[in-house]
């Protein structure tokens, strides 16, 4: 054997773990740490899966709920509109009792729309009620339920002509029901307020209308060319706060018309060309507002026994009584206040027994009575204050017994007279009527 023969390398003996880890710590880590980690990971996977399942279920339920809600809302809306169609048909029924019942049904429908936050639909219901009042009114016929009558006129050769006439229904009760319903919903304390809505009573026939304390807060409130008849028409304490309030051309033929204590705060208030033939009161009424521009009685006619604006306040930009006519027994502006930029009575006519501006205050920039007619038995500005920049009484058409504090007259108090205010024109007093 060669001395250089390789000697086999002895194998490295395998040492058991137990021989090097006599305490068994490694085994403990393997057995007690790896198993909980696996459990935690498995639990997290289950939780994530559960959350995903829950989220999918929640989204599905929400979609289903939305679908059911939309379906229910659509069905509910359709049901309300079906009610509307049926009710409007009842308003045309020849029987007064059915028409009156239809008013109550339409009121309930309008409130139901409000409860569903559908103001546009409520406005439609209100429009229907207003439209009914705008239909022409005639006195009842001999048979209020008769809708048509045919009259045959015979001619020669057995020829004839049929004339068909439609008789009006006696719908005064229905009209009363409508005005009562609207008035109730315009009260401040009503739980279904109709105040924010627009009203168009143009050309309406209104009988014994009581809108005391009503609040009109919609954009427009229109009574143009409306006819107010009956014993009393009351807007006492009413509030008009919309942009436009108009009674242009309205006719008040009742015994008493009251706007006492009413407040007009909209941009434009108009009684242009209105006619008042009974006792009329605007006592303590207020025409004033942040954006109020005009309060107009231009061309209005007051022919009732008494017309009262005593204590009224006009603080709008323009107050217009131009060419208005006061021909009743008394026209009273006692202690009225005119503080707007322009107060116009130019061309106005006061021809009743008494015209009184006693204690009135004119503090606006311009107060104009040019071309006025004072032909009353008694016209008084006693105690009136003219503190504006200009006050004009130039070129009156008539100047009969007009009493002011700076002119002596048979009933003047003894002692010195007050000086004529510097703002009053003409300075050579009294004014001379212009032929």
């Amino acid at each position: 054997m060669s001395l250089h023969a390789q000697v086999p390398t002895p194998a490295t003996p395998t040492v058991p773990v137990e021989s090097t880890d006599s305490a068994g710590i490694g085994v403990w880590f393997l057995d007690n740490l790896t198993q909980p980690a696996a459990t935690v990971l498995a639990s997290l996977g289950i939780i994530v899966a559960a959350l995903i399942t829950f989220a999918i279920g929640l989204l599905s339920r929400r979609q289903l709920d939305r679908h059911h809600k939309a379906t229910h809302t659509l069905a509910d809306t359709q049901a309300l509109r079906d009610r509307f169609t049926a009710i409007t048909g009842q308003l045309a029924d020849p029987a007064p009792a059915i028409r009156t019942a239809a008013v109550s049904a339409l009121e309930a429908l309008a409130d139901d729309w409000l409860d569903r936050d559908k103001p546009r639909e409520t406005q439609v219901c209100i429009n229907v009620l207003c439209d009914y009042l705008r239909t022409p009114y005639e006195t009842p016929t001999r048979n209020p339920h008769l809708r048509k009558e045919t009259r045959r006129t015979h001619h020669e050769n057995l020829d004839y002509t049929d004339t068909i006439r439609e008789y009006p229904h006696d719908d005064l009760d229905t009209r009363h029901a409508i005005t009562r319903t609207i008035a109730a919903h315009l009260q401040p304390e009503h739980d279904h307020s109709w105040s924010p809505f627009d009203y168009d009573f143009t050309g309406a026939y209104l009988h014994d209308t009581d809108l005391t304390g009503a609040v009109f807060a919609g954009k427009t409130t229109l009574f143009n060319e409306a006819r107010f008849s009956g014993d009393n028409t009351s807007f006492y304490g009413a509030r008009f706060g919309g942009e436009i309030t108009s009674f242009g051309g309205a006719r008040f033929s009742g015994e008493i018309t009251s706007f006492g204590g009413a407040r007009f705060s909209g941009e434009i208030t108009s009684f242009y060309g209105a006619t008042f033939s009974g006792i009329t009161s605007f006592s303590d009424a207020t025409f004033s507002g942040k954006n109020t521009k005009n309060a107009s009685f231009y061309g209005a006619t007051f022919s009732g026994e008494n017309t009262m604006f005593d204590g009224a306040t006009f603080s709008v930009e323009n107050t217009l009584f131009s060419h208005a006519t006061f021909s009743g027994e008394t026209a009273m502006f006692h202690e009225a206040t005119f503080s707007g930029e322009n107060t116009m009575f130019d061309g106005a006519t006061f021809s009743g027994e008494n015209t009184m501006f006693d204690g009135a205050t004119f503090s606006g920039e311009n107060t104009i009575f040019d071309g006025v007619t004072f032909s009353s038995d008694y016209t008084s500005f006693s105690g009136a204050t003219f503190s504006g920049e200009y006050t004009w009484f130039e070129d009156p058409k008539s100047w009969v017994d007009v009493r002011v504090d700076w002119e002596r007259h048979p009933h003047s108090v003894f002692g010195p007279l007050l000086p004529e205010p510097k703002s009053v024109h003409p300075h050579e007093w009294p004014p001379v009527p212009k032929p």
Side-chain angles (χ1 to χ4, degrees):
M1 175 180 285
S2 172
L3 292 174
H4 298 284
Q6 293 182 352
V7 178
T9 303
T12 304
T14 302
V15 181
V17 174
E18 290 80 355
S19 64
T20 60
D21 187 10
S22 60
I25 295 175
V27 174
W28 185 88
F29 271 102
L30 290 174
D31 291 342
N32 294 280
L33 292 181
T34 59
Q35 290 181 5
T39 302
V40 169
L41 290 174
S43 299
L44 286 175
I46 293 172
I47 292 172
V48 170
L51 288 173
I52 293 173
T53 303
F54 174 78
I56 293 173
L58 182 61
L59 289 174
S60 297
R61 284 194 298 272
R62 286 181 177 177
Q63 289 177 351
L64 188 60
D65 289 343
R66 283 197 294 266
H67 174 73
H68 286 320
K69 185 176 180 180
T71 302
H72 175 74
T73 301
L74 182 62
D76 185 52
T77 299
Q78 187 59 49
L80 292 177
R81 287 179 175 163
D82 289 343
R83 282 171 57 190
F84 176 81
T85 302
I87 293 169
T88 53
Q90 292 170 351
L91 279 173
D93 195 279
I98 293 178
R99 295 197 303 274
T100 302
V103 174
S104 297
L106 195 58
E107 173 191 13
L109 179 60
D111 291 344
D112 286 343
W113 283 122
L114 272 182
D115 290 336
R116 288 159 177 78
D117 196 24
K118 299 285 187 179
R120 189 175 300 177
E121 303 289 351
T122 300
Q123 181 69 71
V124 171
C125 295
I126 292 173
N127 291 346
V128 171
L129 294 175
C130 293
D131 288 345
Y132 189 98
L133 295 174
R134 292 167 59 183
T135 59
Y137 176 78
E138 297 181 30
T139 55
T141 63
R142 63 181 182 276
N143 182 354
H145 298 281
L146 183 63
R147 302 189 69 180
K148 292 183 179 180
E149 181 182 62
T150 302
R151 293 183 181 182
R152 177 165 294 180
T153 303
H154 292 276
H155 306 290
E156 296 180 355
N157 299 324
L158 302 179
D159 192 14
Y160 61 87
T161 300
D162 285 342
T163 302
I164 300 176
R165 177 181 176 185
E166 291 191 5
Y167 283 88
H169 302 300
D170 181 11
D171 66 347
L172 204 56
D173 288 341
T174 306
R175 292 174 186 267
H176 287 164
I178 291 174
T179 54
R180 284 196 304 268
T181 297
I182 292 175
H185 282 272
L186 291 176
Q187 298 305 308
E189 70 279 2
H190 202 285
D191 55 356
H192 286 89
S193 175
W194 293 0
S195 291
F197 296 97
D198 295 337
Y199 290 87
D200 186 357
F201 296 100
T202 300
Y205 177 83
L206 301 160
H207 182 269
D208 280 337
T209 302
D210 187 359
L211 287 164
T212 299
V215 178
F216 294 90
K219 184 177 181 180
T220 58
T221 300
L222 305 178
F223 287 90
N224 296 325
E225 305 293 336
R227 290 187 296 157
F228 295 87
S229 65
D231 294 333
N232 296 286
T233 296
S234 178
F235 287 89
Y236 184 88
R239 286 182 284 168
F240 300 86
E243 290 184 17
I244 299 175
T245 298
S246 182
F247 288 82
R251 288 177 287 170
F252 298 85
S253 59
E255 294 184 15
I256 299 174
T257 297
S258 177
F259 284 88
R263 290 164 51 190
F264 300 86
S265 58
E267 184 174 343
I268 295 175
T269 299
S270 177
F271 287 85
Y272 180 96
T275 301
F276 301 83
S277 56
I279 295 174
T280 301
S281 175
F282 282 86
S283 300
D284 299 313
T286 300
F287 298 81
S288 176
K290 183 178 180 180
N291 299 312
T292 305
K293 293 183 178 179
N294 297 321
S296 177
F297 289 85
Y298 188 103
T301 299
F302 301 87
S303 59
E305 182 178 353
N306 297 304
T307 298
M308 294 166 284
F309 283 88
D310 53 306
T313 299
F314 298 87
S315 58
V316 300
E317 185 175 335
N318 300 296
T319 298
L320 306 175
F321 282 90
S322 304
H323 301 283
T325 300
F326 299 84
S327 59
E329 182 176 332
T330 300
M332 182 182 294
F333 289 85
H334 180 72
E335 295 186 349
T337 299
F338 301 88
S339 58
E341 185 175 342
N342 300 299
T343 298
M344 313 284 289
F345 281 89
D346 55 303
T349 298
F350 297 87
S351 58
E353 292 185 17
N354 302 295
T355 299
M356 292 180 284
F357 285 88
D358 296 344
T361 299
F362 299 88
S363 58
E365 183 176 344
N366 299 295
T367 299
I368 300 176
F369 282 88
D370 286 354
V372 71
T373 297
F374 285 121
S375 58
S376 301
D377 295 340
Y378 174 87
T379 299
S380 176
F381 284 87
S382 178
T385 301
F386 300 90
S387 57
E389 188 171 351
Y390 298 102
T391 302
W392 303 88
F393 287 93
E394 299 280 3
D395 301 323
K397 293 182 180 178
S398 179
W399 192 270
V400 178
D401 196 18
V402 178
R403 304 179 186 186
V404 294
D405 292 338
W406 57 86
E407 181 184 22
R408 184 76 66 186
H409 56 81
H411 299 282
S412 296
V413 296
F414 293 103
L417 293 173
L418 295 174
E420 179 180 341
K422 294 181 179 180
S423 65
V424 174
H425 298 264
H427 293 307
E428 294 184 3
W429 198 265
V432 178
K434 185 177 181 180

